[in-house]
Amino acid sequence: MIGTGKIKQYANVLDKPLGKGKQEVSLSAFAFLFSELVQYNQTQVDNISELETRLEDAGYAVGARVLELLCHRDKGNRRETRLLGILSFVHSTVWKVLFGKVADSLEKGTEHEDEYMISEKELLVNRFISIPKDMGTFHCGAFVAGIVKGVLENAGFPAVVTAHFVPVEGQQRPRTTILIKFAEEVLRREARLG
Amino acid sequence: MQNAELFTLTYGAIVRQLLTDLEEVEEVNKQLDQMGYNIGIRLIDEFLAKSNVSRCVDFKETAEMIAKVGFKMFLGVTASVMNWDADGTCCSIVLEDNPLVDFVELPDTCQGLYYCNILSGVIRGALEMVAMKTEVTWIRDMLRGDDAYELQVKLLKQVPEEYPYKDDE
């Protein structure tokens, strides 16, 4: 009997080829998985802010790895050193890879120098989620905020990242805004670089 | 259809959280199976709605459905069915490609972990909702050094559907 070819066994996972990243899964597979993540965390915490923190931590880990993967695969191991560079990297490349489209908009905050906002009409993770009234300001976008935080911090731009609902007139569902507040040292470095 | 990497990385984050919280590998295996079960009981509705298949005649057809249509619809990979036993109640579903385990390596401290245990829960939950009680176990696991992923699905019994209303009321 002709033997079927065996898949080459790699001794070390680091030797395996990375792949082009074109593999796809269904949206519902991800939605189910995300809902389980949220449900599991709900059993582990007592209040909303802890739940948001845990989702953010989960997202942070994803963000750190996405940065490594994308820098190696798409940018040829070059890393961004300027603020606007890393922000547009997050806004276009990261969003395109993870969610299939670039983010709706990137804005600079008007009140503070160190604030930037990425807006999205409907975050992929929130599509199948509804928040009960008694959960108040809870936002599952904390997961995405964690991803952004993971990417920024591991690229050398420490920041505080949060997700908020912003009601928009004329639209039933509020827009989601990811608010990024960079740390002092980032702004000082940016000023020095000119 | 969307990018598999977000899916893979999110699953990794879940497993990591479970390992940190529960610390015992066996507990994590059980929790993953439970999560899979919760997903499976809802996933079957979507599967039946989207795939428009008619009722399966026997367990053999069921297994083929899962491997060919189900896995393709949700994970974008095809599995194959083999190793049928004499009664036709036990078979193996073999996956060569598994989007859950891209970039993953099991460290020495977690050797007892069935990283993809969520899949066994999903299959068990989905089949239970269509009146089949099954037992799903891992036979081969690439993360543990085997050459493919093999799940053994064993039909324990068919549970006849019960009508919630009595006819004479």
Side-chain angles (χ1 to χ4, degrees):
Chain A
M1 180 170 105
I2 303 172
T4 51
K6 274 181 92 156
I7 303 171
K8 184 159 172 217
Q9 288 295 297
Y10 290 95
N12 189 343
V13 70
L14 292 171
D15 293 328
K16 267 196 332 213
L18 257 187
K20 290 250 176 349
K22 290 279 184 305
Q23 213 187 6
E24 290 188 333
V25 297
S26 69
L27 174 61
S28 44
F30 175 71
F32 279 125
L33 195 67
F34 186 71
S35 95
E36 280 304 312
L37 174 66
V38 177
Q39 279 177 56
Y40 169 73
N41 280 310
Q42 269 183 310
T43 62
Q44 299 282 319
V45 302
D46 299 320
N47 58 48
I48 295 180
S49 48
E50 262 185 60
L51 182 56
E52 283 201 357
T53 311
R54 286 184 71 110
L55 281 183
E56 205 181 292
D57 289 338
Y60 184 89
V62 176
R65 286 158 178 80
V66 160
L67 176 71
E68 295 276 332
L69 182 67
L70 289 181
C71 272
H72 177 71
R73 194 167 62 198
D74 292 337
K75 283 156 53 69
N77 283 327
R78 267 193 300 275
R79 71 182 178 90
E80 295 288 340
T81 46
R82 304 306 303 264
L83 196 72
L84 280 181
I86 191 75
L87 277 174
S88 71
F89 173 69
V90 168
H91 166 273
S92 349
T93 318
V94 174
W95 235 256
K96 188 122 210 311
V97 167
L98 293 181
F99 307 120
K101 60 188 257 307
V102 302
D104 284 344
S105 66
L106 171 64
E107 292 151 7
K108 192 165 150 61
T110 43
E111 293 160 36
H112 302 275
E113 268 303 304
D114 52 355
E115 278 180 8
Y116 287 82
M117 295 168 293
I118 294 185
S119 307
E120 186 82 72
K121 203 163 129 203
E122 180 80 53
L123 271 186
L124 190 82
V125 300
N126 279 344
R127 239 174 93 174
F128 298 111
I129 295 198
S130 60
I131 317 267
K133 282 259 177 345
D134 56 357
M135 302 272 280
T137 52
F138 175 62
H139 197 312
C140 282
F143 182 66
V144 178
I147 297 184
V148 174
K149 184 165 181 216
V151 172
L152 288 176
E153 260 181 46
N154 285 290
F157 294 84
V160 173
V161 188
T162 44
H164 305 275
F165 278 123
V166 173
V168 178
E169 298 124 39
Q171 257 178 21
Q172 240 189 354
R173 285 176 70 101
R175 212 169 58 154
T176 301
T177 298
I178 311 261
L179 185 64
I180 306 171
K181 198 173 163 70
F182 285 104
E184 265 298 309
E185 61 222 41
V186 176
L187 297 164
R188 276 202 301 255
R189 188 176 70 208
E190 193 66 19
R192 233 181 18 242
L193 285 171
Chain B
M1 292 296 269
Q2 61 131 56
N3 190 295
E5 278 162 5
L6 179 58
F7 182 76
T8 310
L9 292 173
T10 308
Y11 185 67
I14 292 179
V15 176
R16 238 188 338 270
Q17 265 193 342
L18 287 175
L19 281 169
T20 323
D21 293 336
L22 299 170
E23 285 174 26
E24 279 287 311
V25 166
E26 262 319 301
E27 283 297 317
V28 178
N29 284 340
K30 270 200 296 207
Q31 184 68 28
L32 281 175
D33 187 77
Q34 181 60 36
M35 281 170 126
Y37 182 80
N38 292 340
I39 293 181
I41 55 185
R42 295 158 65 197
L43 189 125
I44 183 73
D45 277 334
E46 189 171 335
F47 174 75
L48 290 171
K50 285 205 176 135
S51 66
N52 244 337
V53 295
S54 54
R55 222 179 156 76
C56 288
V57 168
D58 59 5
F59 190 60
K60 280 203 161 104
E61 210 180 316
T62 312
E64 286 286 327
M65 274 295 145
I66 297 177
K68 297 278 175 315
V69 186
F71 272 101
K72 184 95 193 134
M73 190 189 279
F74 292 104
L75 292 180
V77 293
T78 9
S80 39
V81 186
M82 39 180 96
N83 292 347
W84 280 104
D85 72 341
D87 319 326
T89 54
C90 185
C91 68
S92 294
I93 297 187
V94 179
L95 279 165
E96 305 237 314
D97 211 6
N98 189 343
L100 287 176
V101 303
D102 283 337
F103 323 131
V104 175
E105 187 181 47
L106 275 188
D108 293 327
T109 49
C110 301
Q111 283 301 316
L113 181 68
Y114 283 114
Y115 187 80
C116 311
N117 218 25
I118 207 167
L119 286 178
S120 57
V122 171
I123 296 183
R124 189 167 62 91
L127 286 178
E128 197 165 308
M129 287 295 121
V130 283
M132 283 180 253
K133 258 187 120 50
T134 48
E135 192 184 300
V136 186
T137 40
W138 286 100
I139 308 276
R140 282 189 284 167
D141 189 336
M142 250 164 142
L143 290 174
R144 294 189 179 200
D146 300 313
D147 53 356
Y149 293 95
E150 190 176 332
L151 269 172
Q152 187 186 58
V153 184
K154 194 165 137 119
L155 177 66
L156 295 174
K157 64 175 179 177
Q158 300 247 12
V159 183
E161 272 188 44
E162 281 180 21
Y163 288 105
Y165 312 106
K166 285 204 165 348
D167 278 340
D168 48 6
E169 270 178 39

